[in-house]
Amino acid sequence: MRPSQATRPRPQRCSRTSKTSRQIMAEPPPAETEITSLSQAREAARSCTRCPLYEHATQTVFGEGPRDALVMFVGEQPGDKEDLAGKPFVGPAGKVLDEAVEKTGIDRHRVYVTNAVKHFKFVPRGKRRLHQRPDGGEIQACKFWLELEIAFIKPKIIVALGATAARSLLGKTVTIGKLRGAPIKRGDGATLFVANHPSYLLRIRDKTDQARERARFEEDLSMVRSAIPAP
């Protein structure tokens, strides 16, 4: 496996020889049996080329948190700040999540945070990089890493933040409004909750509407808190 090239400059446009998602997904990924720990999975993901997003992102942004985390939050993908820092949920949406976690009494030290897609997808606009939603092929390609994280962490509770995370975890396109507030039992024994992504709250312009949706988000996390098994 080649060493990490996380800091090398990335081109702003795909070259004519760039591979498509279909071509890259057809290549054999690292065998799951060759990765026997979370640390090995994190190291292997540094050189992931399973979809074209690696060509422009600064680096792979793998999940972070304790090996025995009770709760796993799964977002969509790293944003601009996460892409540069190499850490998940360190931007504005991460701050909203941290505030809600603290307010609802979830122990942040027992939480693992990650994303359904590990590379930042964007379009350049001058000096800015504007977020783009991952497509189905990119979500499916990156599900390999998310499934490894779940297998090694074995969280009791998984929270899908947003439609992309819910699609990855459920294997189909879903509507957040229809699933939020209703725990879903997974085959591995974990309980899945679906909620809006914190970035959704930041996009609401009206202060009254934003306060209402933030309160609903905190209600969702309160349900998560109530479902966490007692020590």
Side-chain angles (χ1 to χ4, degrees), residues 26-210:
E27 297 175 354
E32 187 169 344
T33 54
E34 296 174 2
I35 300 175
T36 60
S37 69
L38 186 65
S39 59
Q40 286 183 0
R42 179 178 287 106
E43 183 60 30
R46 292 179 186 276
S47 54
C48 179
T49 59
R50 301 195 74 222
C51 81
L53 295 185
Y54 83 95
E55 295 179 339
H56 306 292
T58 303
Q59 58 196 312
T60 303
V61 181
F62 206 72
E64 284 195 345
R67 172 66 179 77
D68 60 347
L70 293 174
V71 181
M72 176 183 287
F73 284 98
V74 182
E76 178 185 84
Q77 66 167 341
D80 182 78
K81 292 185 181 298
E82 289 81 5
D83 171 75
L84 296 173
K87 296 177 179 292
F89 286 95
V90 295
K95 183 178 180 180
V96 172
L97 177 62
D98 286 345
E99 290 173 351
V101 164
E102 180 178 2
K103 186 172 182 179
T104 53
I106 298 173
D107 186 352
R108 184 64 177 82
H109 299 292
R110 303 300 302 277
V111 166
Y112 185 92
V113 292
T114 190
N115 286 294
V117 173
K118 311 302 187 192
H119 285 115
F120 180 33
K121 183 177 183 179
F122 65 93
V123 290
R125 289 290 184 271
K127 294 183 178 180
R128 299 179 62 197
R129 300 189 298 173
L130 302 183
H131 160 277
Q132 279 195 315
R133 177 175 291 185
D135 63 31
E138 293 153 355
I139 294 169
Q140 184 60 35
C142 216
K143 191 171 182 177
F144 174 79
W145 302 112
L146 179 58
E147 289 180 343
L148 282 178
E149 288 177 296
I150 294 172
F152 289 126
I153 297 293
K154 295 181 174 60
K156 300 298 183 184
I157 308 291
I158 301 174
V159 186
L161 298 172
T164 296
R167 178 176 178 175
S168 177
L169 289 161
L170 293 169
K172 60 182 179 180
T173 302
V174 298
T175 302
I176 300 299
K178 292 182 178 180
L179 293 181
R180 69 187 306 177
I184 302 169
K185 202 67 176 178
R186 288 169 48 92
D188 58 7
T191 300
L192 173 67
F193 288 88
V194 176
N196 280 321
H197 195 284
S199 63
Y200 166 73
L201 305 177
L202 297 173
R203 295 194 298 269
I204 301 175
R205 298 296 184 184
D206 184 83
K207 295 299 182 181
T208 300
D209 292 342
Q210 186 181 85

